[in-house]
Amino acid sequence: MKKLEHIFLILGMIFVLLLNSCSKQLNVYPTTSEVDGKVIKDLQSAKTTLNGIYYRFANAGFDNNQNPSVLWVGVNEGIPSELSGLFTYPYGGSEITDHTYQSSSYAIGSVWQYGMNIVNAANGFLKNIEPAASITAEDKKVLQAEAKFLRAYANIILLAYFGQYDDPSSEYGIILRTDFVTADNISQPRSSVQEAYNLILADLDEAIAVLPDVNTDNYYANIWAAKLLKARVLMIKNNSADKLSVIELCEDIINNSPYELEKSYQQLFWSKGLESNEVILGIHPYSQDIYKYNNYIYYNQNVGTDLMLKLFKNDPRGSWILRPKPNNYMGGNMQVFTKYYSGSVIQAVPTASSSVSYALRLTEAYLLEAEAITESGGNLDNARVLLKTVMEKSGVTNFTQIDNAKSASQLQLEVIKEEMRNFVGEAGQDWFALRRLPFETIKEMVPSIGNKTQLILPIPQEEMKRNSALRGMQNPGYGG
């Protein structure tokens, strides 16, 4: 597959996406006002605007030195892995690591804004492509399906972090926006959790029905990405009635998709990157993008915790995913996260893989199916095969603990531990998986989580202020 190079230039609120390919080329993302205007006139301008949603999806922008950067790492890797107890900020702790966050916490607002930005861009696109008569119905359906896939991705992020995601009857859902935000409609109440799932799953079902088997590159959505995201959504929902659907979806992906597990987990992250045939949906960095490298290696913003060391004890990945580095501030070594970085942590320089990110990988289908089997009364031997298959790719050879897990709950715990190991610092699956364990087990693994309130983030203070329809609907335990 021909590798494309992304170069983003932003002037004010306009950015230009340049691709070294004839597909989706020279794309200009319109200003906020133009998104809600008649900017989609033909197929090329539609693709241009659609790329604006992918730009939001990658969380693209500028680093602190005003260099164009993909900022996916902050929202989708660092924050969830801090919440799951695997990462910590080594220079004095953080509200996320300590689970002391409030509605005014900066990190809370960044996750909220990330999701809302994607939703708003998708809604602007969907509004403006509909009347574009010069686009064929077939092309229009595919582009709309991509936008709805991205909207579903954003809405499940919002629901999984800010809503009572595991209680469909709850009124504490999310702000379910299907129109582009204007001054006239900014105040909108929360949906119920069930209403949120209805839209998310409807968007994904449309995407599954329409998206191509393989898109132009693996950083654009396809049918298998939509199916895997649907399986993830149903697992987050955590309703026993959905577990058979998860199994069916995952079996379909494993048996019928063009993707294969990478032979070596280490090679996937250290050398192959987006060229790996395991990657269903990746995040392509800018040319010379070092934001992610700076976060993990240069500034060491996220380092491994004692829980992470414990999970990787006697695991061959532990020797290269975490590496010790002297830290004068701490008076000893800190455990630098080197999942994406193959170079020296002492004389560090960026590598080709150090800024690549991943939204969906085939491994997730294996682990979600294994977990769903343990939670649906299925054959535990089948779950063990799926789990061992994944772990073998990581170099694990000793499966005594897996074989000794005789009950469904014991094996579920082993699957979730592997989900946390496999997806640490990736796309939030470690946090989503941890919360499916019994609460007493969660507290034992992450002692800073003292009550169930902390499994859900508060709606940001700024959103509560500007949206009058949210008054009295802050998440329980956070006031306001």
Side-chain angles (χ1 to χ4, degrees):
M1 183 182 295
K2 184 179 178 181
K3 187 173 182 180
L4 305 183
E5 181 182 41
H6 286 191
I7 303 174
F8 295 89
L9 300 175
I10 302 180
L11 298 174
M13 297 183 70
I14 304 176
F15 68 80
V16 180
L17 171 61
L18 298 176
L19 301 178
N20 295 328
S21 167
C22 60
S23 62
K24 301 190 178 180
Q25 58 189 332
L26 191 57
N27 301 299
V28 182
Y29 185 64
T31 67
T32 300
S33 60
E34 289 173 333
V35 169
D36 200 32
K38 296 181 179 179
V39 296
I40 298 178
K41 302 180 183 301
D42 52 26
L43 183 59
Q44 181 56 50
S45 60
K47 290 180 178 180
T48 293
T49 310
L50 180 64
N51 269 323
I53 316 174
Y54 280 104
Y55 175 94
R56 302 294 189 190
F57 175 65
N59 204 25
F62 293 106
D63 66 12
N64 291 334
N65 295 316
Q66 297 305 299
N67 297 312
S69 302
V70 167
L71 310 179
W72 168 277
V73 56
V75 171
N76 293 295
E77 295 181 9
I79 290 174
S81 289
E82 282 193 57
L83 289 168
S84 67
L86 300 180
F87 279 175
T88 188
Y89 178 72
Y91 308 108
S94 79
E95 295 173 305
I96 304 299
T97 299
D98 300 335
H99 297 89
T100 57
Y101 31 79
Q102 296 297 323
S103 62
S104 59
S105 300
Y106 172 79
I108 303 301
S110 68
V111 178
W112 178 269
Q113 200 59 48
Y114 171 76
M116 283 298 184
N117 283 344
I118 299 172
V119 169
N120 203 40
N123 287 337
F125 175 83
L126 291 168
K127 174 182 178 180
N128 286 287
I129 195 174
E130 187 59 41
S134 65
I135 305 175
T136 67
E138 183 176 352
D139 284 336
K140 190 179 291 186
K141 283 176 64 177
V142 174
L143 296 175
Q144 287 170 327
E146 283 190 73
K148 290 187 176 182
F149 168 86
L150 293 166
R151 184 171 70 178
Y153 195 102
N155 274 327
I156 192 56
I157 288 288
L158 292 167
L159 184 60
Y161 282 101
F162 298 98
Q164 292 185 338
Y165 58 90
D166 59 349
D167 181 6
S169 67
S170 171
E171 61 182 338
Y172 292 96
I174 57 177
I175 302 171
L176 205 58
R177 296 192 182 276
T178 54
D179 296 316
F180 188 82
V181 175
T182 66
D184 295 329
N185 66 7
I186 193 168
S187 290
Q188 184 176 330
R190 299 178 74 156
S191 70
S192 69
V193 172
Q194 185 61 60
E195 288 169 336
Y197 277 120
N198 289 345
L199 179 62
I200 293 167
L201 293 170
D203 279 350
L204 289 175
D205 284 341
E206 181 170 336
I208 289 169
V210 174
L211 286 178
D213 192 66
V214 177
N215 211 322
T216 54
D217 276 288
N218 64 0
Y219 33 88
Y220 295 118
N222 59 50
I223 185 175
W224 305 106
K227 287 183 177 184
L228 185 51
L229 181 57
K230 182 176 181 180
R232 183 189 294 181
V233 168
L234 293 176
M235 288 300 288
I236 290 171
K237 188 180 177 186
N238 206 20
N239 187 313
S240 58
D242 296 319
K243 298 300 164 66
L244 292 181
S245 295
V246 173
I247 294 170
E248 290 175 2
L249 284 164
C250 292
E251 285 188 348
D252 184 18
I253 297 165
I254 293 167
N255 295 326
N256 299 315
S257 80
Y259 300 97
E260 298 176 342
L261 291 180
E262 191 59 55
K263 293 180 180 178
S264 166
Y265 183 83
Q266 185 176 16
Q267 285 185 5
L268 191 163
F269 293 106
W270 276 20
S271 60
K272 290 199 173 182
L274 296 183
E275 298 300 320
S276 170
N277 199 38
E278 181 177 328
V279 180
I280 297 176
L281 185 62
I283 308 296
H284 199 295
Y286 289 97
S287 176
Q288 300 179 352
D289 188 340
I290 61 170
Y291 180 81
K292 181 169 177 172
Y293 160 83
N294 282 341
N295 183 86
Y296 288 135
I297 308 302
Y298 190 79
Y299 295 115
N300 308 126
Q301 299 289 301
N302 296 116
V303 300
T305 63
D306 290 343
L307 174 61
M308 189 169 172
L309 286 170
K310 182 178 180 181
L311 281 178
F312 281 101
K313 185 178 181 180
N314 300 322
D315 187 299
R317 288 167 289 190
S319 64
W320 60 271
I321 282 184
L322 289 174
R323 285 185 275 166
K325 178 182 178 181
N327 183 288
N328 294 332
Y329 179 87
M330 299 175 66
N333 288 334
M334 59 183 172
Q335 298 298 323
V336 179
F337 183 63
T338 53
K339 177 175 177 176
Y340 303 100
Y341 178 71
S342 58
S344 167
V345 297
I346 306 299
Q347 297 177 327
V349 292
T351 64
S353 63
S354 58
S355 288
V356 179
S357 297
Y358 307 85
L360 292 160
R361 288 191 290 116
L362 180 61
T363 287
E364 187 175 0
Y366 281 77
L367 294 177
L368 289 183
E369 182 179 351
E371 187 185 348
I373 289 171
T374 69
E375 297 175 21
S376 63
N379 188 322
L380 297 186
D381 285 338
N382 292 341
R384 286 190 186 90
V385 169
L386 291 162
L387 177 56
K388 289 179 181 181
T389 299
V390 166
M391 296 178 73
E392 283 171 351
K393 305 298 182 182
S394 303
V396 177
T397 57
N398 185 347
F399 297 107
T400 303
Q401 200 154 349
I402 308 302
D403 293 331
N404 287 342
K406 301 302 182 183
S407 70
S409 61
Q410 289 172 334
L411 189 55
Q412 182 213 21
L413 176 59
E414 295 306 317
V415 175
I416 286 179
K417 284 180 179 179
E418 177 56 25
E419 287 174 298
M420 295 177 72
R421 284 187 293 258
N422 211 291
F423 295 111
V424 58
E426 195 160 331
Q429 299 99 309
D430 47 350
W431 175 234
F432 303 151
L434 173 71
R435 296 184 303 174
R436 292 193 286 272
L437 290 171
F439 187 65
E440 290 304 314
T441 305
I442 295 174
K443 287 198 299 181
E444 182 180 344
M445 292 177 69
V446 189
S448 56
I449 301 177
N451 59 74
K452 290 186 177 180
T453 296
Q454 294 165 301
L455 299 180
I456 301 172
L457 304 182
I459 291 189
Q461 188 176 75
E462 288 302 309
E463 184 68 34
M464 296 296 295
K465 285 181 179 178
R466 69 172 164 256
N467 187 344
S468 59
L470 289 180
R471 289 173 188 163
M473 287 300 293
Q474 178 60 275
N475 286 329
Y478 293 104

